[in-house]
Amino acid sequence: MKKIIYSGKFLLLAILFIFNSCKKDEPVHEHDNEEMKTMTMTFVEKTTNENVTVSIDATDKETKVLTLKKGNYDMTMKLYDFEGHEVQQEILDDANMHQFFFVGPSQEQINFTYLDAQVGLTSNWKILQAANNIPMKIVLMHGLSKGYVTPTDWNSKNYQSIAGGTPDIAVNLTLNLID
């Protein structure tokens, strides 16, 4: 009788083990750090500490407006994936493969300087002259040959043909530069 009870317990444990080991694990989502939904640009004027922030949803067709007074601004950009995770560190980790272009304003309107490894997540913008309704495209290129790109190419309309690559994110906004 004891043999039957032990055999029954063993059989029950074996069945439980088999059913538990056959359950499929929930898939763990791998974050593709190249999929960006939102970018936030924060400009801090160096003399007055005035902050100007614009947040752009890459999936939204609405064109945001960015207005900056003449001055000297440090800009910091944050990038978020579709789940709201920040991804700019991954871009910096692969700085040799990424670069932002800010196409639209001229070098007479803005004196632009990259403050990172020529990526553009941090930069300095000196607003030199007033101008209204400048259509501006902000593009993060991936896989470009950065040896062909100079820091003065930050606003080049030929950003795709200079060094190749593909856009990770491309958004449009209207830029107003005021006195």
Side-chain angles (χ1 to χ4, degrees):
M1 182 71 169
K2 283 185 179 180
K3 205 180 220 184
I4 294 174
I5 293 173
Y6 287 127
S7 295
K9 286 181 181 179
F10 177 74
L11 183 61
L12 182 60
L13 285 173
I15 290 171
L16 286 173
F17 177 75
I18 289 171
F19 280 114
N20 280 334
S21 65
C22 291
K23 276 199 250 179
K24 290 187 178 185
D25 291 333
E26 290 296 317
V28 175
H29 177 67
E30 295 286 328
H31 296 290
D32 183 353
N33 294 326
E34 308 300 320
E35 294 179 3
M36 288 162 268
K37 181 179 186 295
T38 309
M39 62 187 286
T40 301
M41 301 168 66
T42 301
F43 295 83
V44 178
E45 209 288 325
K46 292 175 88 167
T47 305
T48 65
N49 280 335
E50 178 183 341
N51 281 354
V52 177
T53 300
V54 63
S55 184
I56 305 166
D57 183 331
T59 63
D60 190 2
K61 299 299 178 202
E62 176 188 351
T63 300
K64 298 282 186 164
V65 176
L66 171 61
T67 302
L68 295 172
K69 295 178 186 176
K70 276 189 180 177
N72 186 356
Y73 296 86
D74 282 339
M75 188 276 292
T76 303
M77 188 179 313
K78 298 229 182 213
L79 301 168
Y80 301 90
D81 66 13
F82 283 84
E83 295 178 0
H85 301 106
E86 287 188 28
V87 295
Q88 62 272 6
Q89 187 58 51
E90 288 82 1
I91 301 301
L92 281 175
D93 289 346
D94 289 330
N96 62 331
M97 297 177 62
H98 292 94
Q99 183 165 341
F100 273 98
F101 294 89
F102 303 90
V103 181
S106 70
Q107 293 177 343
E108 290 77 28
Q109 294 165 329
I110 297 175
N111 181 354
F112 177 90
T113 307
Y114 291 100
L115 296 178
D116 49 22
Q118 197 174 318
V119 175
L121 289 167
T122 56
S123 55
N124 179 263
W125 299 45
K126 289 180 184 149
I127 309 305
L128 304 174
Q129 101 187 185
N132 286 322
N133 300 316
I134 303 167
M136 186 163 124
K137 183 173 195 147
I138 302 170
V139 181
L140 173 61
M141 293 298 288
H142 172 90
L144 68 164
S145 299
K146 286 185 80 168
Y148 295 106
V149 186
T150 69
T152 59
D153 292 324
W154 64 271
N155 64 344
S156 175
K157 291 179 174 142
N158 300 317
Y159 63 90
Q160 284 189 293
S161 63
I162 292 174
T166 57
D168 275 342
I169 190 169
V171 297
N172 296 304
L173 61 88
T174 300
L175 181 63
N176 293 315
L177 307 174
I178 60 176
D179 284 321

